Structures are given as C-alpha cells and as structure tokens.
Amino acid sequence: MEELNTNNEQLPIEPKPVVRPPLLKLLCILTFIGSGLQLVSNLNCALFYEETVQGVKDNKLPAFLLPLKPEILHLLSAGRNFFAINFILYTASVIGAYYMWKLFKKGFHIYTISQIIIILITIYYFKELGIPFEAILFSGMYVAFYAMNLKAMK
C-alpha cells in the first residue's frame, strides 16, 4: 500500500531489507560449495560411470590419488545408481540451502531430509562399513546450526 504525503501524492513504500543472520549466511555458502561439488562429482560419475571405472583401473589418476586407488575402486563398486541417487539428493540439498538463503523454512526440511537419506543410502550400499558416525556427526552439526536459525525464516 502506498502512503499519501501532504500534497496528496503517493509515495512508494520501501521494502524492508532482508536480514540474514551471519551464521545462516556462512552455512548456506558452505553448503553451496560442498554440496555443489558433490552434485557435480556424482553427476559425472553417473553419466560416465564405465569410463571412470576404467580410468581408475588403468591408473589414469592424479599422482596424489594413486595411493587411494583401492578405496576409489571400492566406492565405484556401488554402481551407477548410487551416484545417480546421490546426484538427486545433493541437488535437493543445494535447493534446501537456496530456500534457507531466501529465509524459507521449507529449505531446512528439504536439506535435513536429503542429508538423512544420503546417510541411509551410504549405509545401504556399503553395509560392510557399518554406521558412518563421522558423516552423521558432520551432517548433524549442519542441521543443528541451521535449526538455530529457524526463527529468522518464515
């Protein structure tokens, strides 16, 4: 609604500036970077799965990754679907962070659900490794820090 000044002219109402808490801003930026890189990496592995596996088997890895070849092959043993599912989940994670950046609570729920499913998918595909406590702790910290900012969201 526009206000009238003393000359009966309408004055535009200035929108209130968005006040994003600094912790929320930091968390969103870190999520854009981390989940964004995971999104790209998982998409690459899903689209070029056979080529990636063959490249690792043929030692076409950067020198610093050669000592990790057995672990990389074990990760790749999960198959193309693992990477496709993770691509979708990390996309949801980035979307959740975007909504939280815009101060919408639904972003928190999207982010949290995607993080829980990422952990469950990892447990499902790598049963022999047991429960990934580090991933649970790391994701749990992010969810807790995001939850601390829920009052700033609508």
Side-chain angles (χ1 to χ4, degrees):
M1 185 118 193
E2 297 183 358
E3 297 178 19
L4 296 177
N5 68 6
T6 54
N7 298 331
N8 288 334
E9 295 173 358
Q10 291 185 345
L11 299 174
I13 296 176
E14 300 278 332
K16 292 181 182 176
V18 175
V19 180
R20 190 175 295 110
L23 178 60
L24 179 61
K25 185 185 255 187
L26 175 66
L27 290 169
C28 287
I29 290 169
L30 291 174
T31 299
F32 292 143
I33 294 168
S35 292
L37 289 172
Q38 284 288 348
L39 181 154
V40 171
S41 174
N42 281 288
L43 177 62
N44 184 55
C45 283
L47 292 177
F48 305 107
Y49 180 75
E50 289 84 11
E51 295 87 345
T52 303
V53 171
Q54 194 58 49
V56 172
K57 287 180 180 178
D58 294 343
N59 290 324
K60 293 181 180 174
L61 291 169
F64 72 94
L65 288 178
L66 283 174
L68 298 175
K69 181 179 175 180
E71 289 82 2
I72 294 171
L73 285 171
H74 184 257
L75 177 64
L76 290 170
S77 72
R80 180 189 304 265
N81 288 342
F82 173 76
F83 297 102
I85 292 167
N86 272 322
F87 164 71
I88 294 166
L89 293 170
Y90 279 108
T91 300
S93 180
V94 169
I95 291 169
Y98 173 76
Y99 280 130
M100 287 188 281
W101 181 266
K102 294 291 188 179
L103 300 177
F104 294 117
K105 282 184 183 179
K106 69 180 176 181
F108 173 77
H109 303 294
I110 293 169
Y111 176 83
T112 302
I113 291 168
S114 67
Q115 292 301 305
I116 291 169
I117 297 172
I118 287 168
I119 291 169
L120 293 174
I121 290 295
T122 303
I123 292 170
Y124 176 78
Y125 276 92
F126 298 102
K127 294 174 185 77
E128 71 281 359
L129 296 179
I131 298 173
F133 291 107
E134 299 85 7
I136 292 170
L137 179 65
F138 192 74
S139 291
M141 285 181 5
Y142 265 77
V143 168
F145 287 140
Y146 274 129
M148 290 169 45
N149 288 281
L150 277 172
K151 62 181 174 268
M153 300 179 211
K154 48 188 161 179

